[in-house]
């Protein structure tokens, strides 16, 4: 994150308006999707000072375009809202207001307001995928606006990949939870069935439960095929599949015997 931020700060300070605006778009994308480690870096004075230079007349404020300065102001103001616990961001923004560099809080148009950062793993994929990390650094070093656009597209593709992985994990967790609950409930109903203490309504519930469990079996097979590279997760899925098979076997045996 540190190298990427240094490169982004350099691009944001570019005298070319288009390049600076592209860099700000990349920055916002990273902030919104790259996790706590990235957030901790943007909240340090080392990086905040680089943004302040774009606004300050002592540095680049005299020749930075008004559009770029407005976007930097919007970014800093939005961070004070998103990250109220980060004192340095608030202090930096308040300093700009006290010095008269920022006259009033910007009104953020709806099309420029990004949703609050979603919970993400402590380490983003750029921390674990060295090849993509190197490619991102190379694109950010470039002086061509197209390369900055490519950097933004790379970040977006990584975000999509992580979202797909997150959805996959969610499907697995929900399926395993449902299997566990269904097997437990089926065991209870079968015990009552054996004692001939099952009401007609519960008999219907047991039949519906068995049908649902039958539909869960192919889902577990798909989840197992997705998890072949993770031995621990695969073992958990196979264990759930065994429990489901056992419960369905007992259901058929008990119902047939009655």
């Amino acid at each position: 994150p540190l190298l990427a931020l240094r490169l982004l700060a350099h691009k944001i300070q570019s005298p070319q308006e288009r390049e600076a605006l592209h860099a700000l778009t990349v920055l916002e994308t990273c902030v919104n999707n790259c996790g706590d480690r990235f957030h901790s870096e943007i909240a340090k004075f080392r990086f905040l000072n680089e943004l302040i230079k774009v606004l300050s007349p002592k540095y680049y404020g005299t020749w930075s375009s008004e559009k770029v300065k407005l976007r930097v102001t919007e970014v800093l103001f939005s961070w004070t809202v998103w990250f109220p616990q980060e004192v340095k961001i608030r202090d930096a923004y308040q300093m700009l207001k006290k010095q008269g560099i920022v006259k009033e809080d910007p009104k953020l148009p709806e099309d420029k307001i990004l949703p609050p950062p979603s919970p993400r793993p402590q380490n983003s994929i750029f921390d674990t995928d060295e090849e993509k990390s190197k490619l991102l650094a190379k694109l950010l070093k470039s002086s061509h606006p197209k390369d900055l656009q490519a950097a933004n597209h790379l970040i977006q593709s990584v975000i999509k990949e992580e979202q797909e992985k997150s959805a996959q994990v969610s499907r697995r967790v929900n399926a395993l939870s449902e299997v566990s609950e269904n097997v437990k409930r089926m065991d209870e109903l079968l015990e009552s069935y054996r004692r001939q203490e099952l009401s007609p309504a519960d008999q219907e519930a047991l039949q519906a439960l068995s049908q649902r469990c039958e539909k869960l079996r192919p889902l577990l097979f798909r989840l197992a095929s997705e998890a072949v590279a993770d031995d621990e997760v695969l073992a958990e899925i196979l264990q759930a599949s065994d429990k489901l098979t056992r419960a369905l076997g007992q259901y058929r045996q008990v119902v047939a015997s009655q």
Side-chain angles (χ1 to χ4, degrees), residues 8 45 93 100 146 208 228:
L8 279 173
F45 282 131
Y93 183 73
K146 285 186 177 180
V228 289

Side-chain angles (χ1 to χ4, degrees), residues 104-254:
E104 60 182 0
D105 295 339
K107 183 179 179 181
L108 300 179
E110 297 241 345
D111 62 348
K112 290 184 181 178
I113 297 177
L114 292 174
S118 56
R120 305 195 66 76
Q122 185 70 18
N123 296 321
S124 75
I125 197 166
F126 287 115
D127 297 318
T128 56
D129 192 321
E130 186 177 355
E131 184 178 339
K132 286 182 178 173
S133 181
K134 287 180 178 179
L135 176 58
L136 178 63
K138 181 180 178 181
L139 291 170
L140 291 175
K141 282 180 183 176
S142 172
S143 60
H144 300 294
K146 285 186 177 180
D147 286 334
L148 274 175
Q149 289 179 330
N152 192 30
H153 291 153
L154 174 61
I155 293 169
Q156 295 287 3
S157 69
V158 168
I159 291 167
K160 184 178 180 181
E161 183 181 336
E162 289 188 340
Q163 287 174 338
E164 289 173 353
K165 287 182 179 178
S166 178
Q168 194 177 91
V169 170
S170 180
R171 286 195 303 271
R172 184 180 73 241
V173 169
N174 290 338
L176 293 179
S177 176
E178 185 177 359
V179 167
S180 178
E181 292 173 3
N182 286 357
V183 168
K184 181 180 178 182
R185 180 58 178 158
M186 184 175 284
D187 285 342
E188 293 171 352
L189 291 174
L190 286 174
E191 185 59 34
S192 297
Y193 196 97
R194 290 187 186 96
R195 298 197 302 265
Q196 297 184 342
E197 296 174 356
L198 211 61
S199 67
D202 282 341
Q203 289 183 32
E204 291 182 6
L206 178 58
Q207 184 178 6
L209 195 58
S210 70
Q211 292 171 352
R212 177 55 188 162
C213 285
E214 288 284 3
K215 291 180 180 179
L216 283 171
R217 293 186 69 196
L219 174 58
L220 289 181
F221 280 112
R222 285 198 300 273
L223 292 174
S225 66
E226 292 173 355
V228 289
D230 191 324
D231 291 342
E232 187 175 341
V233 171
L234 181 59
E236 187 179 9
I237 295 171
L238 293 177
Q239 185 179 28
S241 181
D242 288 343
K243 289 181 179 178
L244 195 64
T245 300
R246 176 192 58 79
L248 286 169
Q250 287 186 341
Y251 169 78
R252 297 189 190 97
Q253 184 180 9
V254 169

